[in-house]
Amino acid sequence: EFTVDYMEGSYPTLLLYYEGWDGWSSAIDPAKKMTCRERHELASKIVPLFKESEMVPTISPLNEATWLGRRVLRSSGFLYFRAGRPQWFFMAVASCSTPQNTLQSTACDESGFCQGPLLLNIDYSMTNQGSEFSADEQGLLEFHVAVFVLQTLAYAAAIAGVRRGLLRLNKYHVTVKLLVTSSSFLWLSLLLRVIEYQSYSDTGRYNNELATAADFLFDASDLLLVYLMVFLAKGWTLVRYKISSGGRLKLAVLMTVTGFATLALDSWKSYNFDSATVVYYYTTAPGICVTWLRGVVFVWFAYCCRVTMSTFTSKKRFYIRYSAIFGAYLLSKPVMVLVGNHAANSDNRFAFLRVWEVTQLFVGQTLFILMYYPGLSINKGFPFHSVSSAMLGLVQGVRTGDYLREQERGGGGGSAGGAQPAPVTTPTAEAGPGAVQDLHAARSAMTERGLHLRDHLLNLKDASRELLDRLADMDGYDGEDVAFDRDPGGGAYADLDRLGR
């Protein structure tokens, strides 16, 4: 149904195009520089709005209103589109007539048709078999309601289980905060999306503010989860308690570029997206940039996992599974965009990508919630739970490096300058043969010398750790990140323990 207000003396017409995007693109292509008459000829149907007909049964003056000194007329009518399959329909309003009937005509061709100005007020409502949703939006309201319910349960688990459980264990690290914040943003995004679709279903009016807010929250949730994946790929909280200055600089560049790029692209999509010329967001320049950025993040993620696995072989099994699962998560978006561009039909691409993006983010968050949830039997292989709060740097007044050095000394309270060897008790023997006494004396001497040697080696190792800590904080130092255990396979540290024993 439609209602069009226009000035008396102008002759607007409604042009209908039934040939899908191909026919419509030809009609609006600026490179072809077509005249009004040529665009008329491409239309599947022409409805004069200034003439009463079966489709325009009512034309009447609009009270006493005037525009530019002329009366305002109102034409009301209705149209039906019939199709056996999902199909795109386009409408346009034109002002084309002969020179004597055209108000302020500007461009006329040789046949006498002119293109005049349009001054209109249009109100229309389009339904699809009684539904406000078009064919490419069918089922999205029900889908978002279902995912919102599931996300509510996942968010409750993130708050009540992960956050409270790790706070109680004093292990609520920055990486976990990223997960909880990402989950909250997705929950808010789905809530706004449900409200938007429900409002659209009731009124047929598109709420651009709600849609924009939902898009920003969804992309923010996705970015935070991607940052979490990269942090863990670098080994933070898993095998490293500190990332080098070079690594922190690269992470800052990644977060800045992806954050501002996403903000700019979302702004473009919200305020410059023209549904009359763009059939698919990911075919535009901003959509292509988003896809390429995700591909770059995947390459760096794979590189970080590879370096971490080669450096810390004790966690290789975990990182093989981690890189496979979340590498597939990062790579799936470019793959799905490629599939949508070349394989999916233009009638269902929008719903296909929307369902995929929401499902993917929900599943990714759920996997991390299960990994971080304390006490579950399915996440015993996640090495975060084997790391103490002091090693994570979450104990007030305790530096991670000092804690590790104290643990290596056997849990004593020795200072950084050195620790005295603990007293050693050896079994005594009653007076007996001289050979037995010599054996006990030799054993005691060897144990004492071994402890002295162990103490000196620990002092040397203590000094090297302090040097590495200072180098890691210096600008321009790109050495290996400071790890919980620099020799994951045991090596010299294991030999020291055996020597002590």
Side-chain angles (χ1 to χ4, degrees):
E1 299 179 6
F2 61 87
T3 299
V4 181
D5 300 336
Y6 56 95
M7 289 187 299
E8 185 179 25
S10 61
Y11 299 89
T13 55
L14 188 63
L15 307 180
L16 307 176
Y17 298 84
Y18 298 168
E19 303 301 324
W21 278 96
D22 293 335
W24 172 248
S25 300
S26 300
I28 64 173
D29 188 358
K32 295 184 177 181
K33 299 180 180 180
M34 288 190 295
T35 64
C36 189
R37 180 184 180 184
E38 292 170 333
R39 296 181 181 182
H40 264 246
E41 293 175 349
L42 289 176
S44 304
K45 192 173 186 61
I46 301 173
V47 181
L49 297 174
F50 55 87
K51 185 187 301 183
E52 290 187 356
S53 63
E54 182 181 357
M55 289 176 286
V56 187
T58 305
I59 299 178
S60 59
L62 185 61
N63 299 327
E64 301 298 326
T66 60
W67 291 349
L68 301 178
R70 295 174 178 268
R71 286 197 312 167
V72 179
L73 302 179
R74 170 168 290 179
S75 297
S76 302
F78 54 89
L79 298 169
Y80 291 99
F81 301 92
R82 298 186 184 277
R85 60 176 179 82
Q87 187 173 342
W88 292 95
F89 297 93
F90 298 89
M91 297 187 301
V93 180
S95 178
C96 295
S97 184
T98 56
Q100 61 269 23
N101 290 334
T102 303
L103 178 66
Q104 297 177 354
S105 60
T106 56
C108 301
D109 58 22
E110 296 178 354
S111 64
F113 277 84
C114 306
Q115 299 182 165
L118 286 171
L119 184 57
L120 306 170
N121 182 29
I122 304 177
D123 186 18
Y124 65 93
S125 174
M126 302 180 69
T127 58
N128 182 21
Q129 297 181 347
S131 172
E132 295 290 350
F133 295 102
S134 61
D136 64 330
E137 297 172 324
Q138 293 291 327
L140 286 182
L141 172 59
E142 295 80 3
F143 167 76
H144 281 88
V145 170
V147 178
F148 175 72
V149 173
L150 295 176
Q151 178 61 20
T152 301
L153 299 177
Y155 184 46
I159 294 296
V162 175
R163 183 178 182 275
R164 291 182 59 184
L166 294 180
L167 280 174
R168 186 170 58 252
L169 297 173
N170 199 19
K171 293 183 179 182
Y172 192 53
H173 194 262
V174 174
T175 52
V176 193
K177 294 177 182 178
L178 287 176
L179 173 61
V180 174
T181 306
S182 175
S183 181
S184 64
F185 282 174
L186 179 58
W187 185 85
L188 288 174
S189 173
L190 291 173
L191 175 63
L192 295 181
R193 194 69 73 184
V194 169
I195 296 174
E196 174 206 349
Y197 279 128
Q198 186 61 55
S199 174
Y200 185 75
S201 176
D202 295 337
T203 65
R205 302 284 182 177
Y206 181 73
N207 192 319
N208 186 64
E209 288 74 18
L210 276 179
T212 301
D215 286 339
F216 275 102
L217 287 170
F218 182 87
D219 287 338
S221 175
D222 180 61
L223 277 180
L224 290 178
L225 196 68
V226 170
Y227 296 156
L228 172 59
M229 294 178 190
V230 175
F231 288 156
L232 296 184
K234 290 286 291 180
W236 196 22
T237 72
L238 303 183
V239 293
R240 294 182 173 111
Y241 71 87
K242 188 175 185 179
I243 299 177
S244 67
S245 60
R248 294 195 296 268
L249 178 61
K250 294 172 186 176
L251 289 172
V253 171
L254 172 72
M255 297 172 68
T256 302
V257 171
T258 55
F260 278 99
T262 302
L263 178 64
L265 297 175
D266 277 344
S267 300
W268 179 92
K269 181 170 61 175
S270 301
Y271 300 105
N272 295 313
F273 184 85
D274 186 3
S275 61
T277 58
V278 178
V279 63
Y280 186 49
Y281 168 67
Y282 287 106
T283 60
T284 64
I288 294 173
C289 288
V290 169
T291 306
W292 274 102
L293 278 177
R294 181 54 61 90
V296 171
V297 172
F298 165 75
V299 171
W300 197 37
F301 170 85
Y303 171 76
C304 291
C305 287
R306 180 177 177 275
V307 171
T308 305
M309 280 190 291
S310 62
T311 306
F312 302 93
T313 56
S314 62
K315 306 301 181 185
K316 186 175 182 178
R317 182 179 178 185
F318 167 80
Y319 269 100
I320 289 176
R321 291 177 292 180
Y322 176 80
S323 59
I325 294 174
F326 294 105
Y329 176 95
L330 293 173
L331 191 60
S332 62
K333 186 168 186 176
V335 171
M336 287 300 106
V337 170
L338 187 64
V339 171
N341 283 343
H342 299 282
N345 192 287
S346 62
D347 302 328
N348 53 34
R349 269 189 294 203
F350 174 76
F352 171 76
L353 258 296
R354 175 60 61 83
V355 170
W356 174 262
E357 288 178 334
V358 174
T359 303
Q360 178 195 41
L361 183 55
F362 169 75
V363 171
Q365 287 186 359
T366 303
L367 288 177
F368 272 112
I369 290 173
L370 293 176
M371 288 171 63
Y372 275 107
Y373 203 107
L376 293 182
S377 59
I378 61 176
N379 61 11
K380 296 299 183 182
F382 190 46
F384 177 81
H385 298 299
S386 64
V387 177
S388 68
S389 56
M391 292 174 74
L392 291 171
L394 298 176
V395 177
Q396 187 70 24
V398 178
R399 294 182 62 222
T400 307
D402 295 340
Y403 170 80
L404 292 175
R405 286 188 286 273
E406 180 179 337
Q407 294 302 307
E408 289 165 358
R409 293 178 179 278
S415 63
Q420 298 298 325
V424 177
T425 59
T426 58
T428 59
E430 296 180 359
V436 175
Q437 294 180 357
D438 291 342
L439 178 61
H440 282 294
R443 180 182 177 185
S444 299
M446 290 177 63
T447 301
E448 184 177 357
R449 290 180 182 179
L451 288 174
H452 279 293
L453 178 60
R454 179 175 184 264
D455 184 55
H456 289 308
L457 289 174
L458 284 175
N459 287 336
L460 180 60
K461 180 179 166 187
D462 183 29
S464 67
R465 278 197 179 277
E466 290 186 356
L467 178 61
L468 287 172
D469 285 344
R470 283 170 170 74
L471 287 175
D473 292 328
M474 291 174 60
D475 293 335
Y477 176 69
D478 283 330
E480 291 294 333
D481 298 340
V482 183
F484 291 138
D485 183 358
R486 286 198 166 271
D487 188 358
Y493 298 171
D495 292 340
L496 287 176
D497 293 334
R498 287 194 294 272
L499 180 60
R501 289 194 294 271

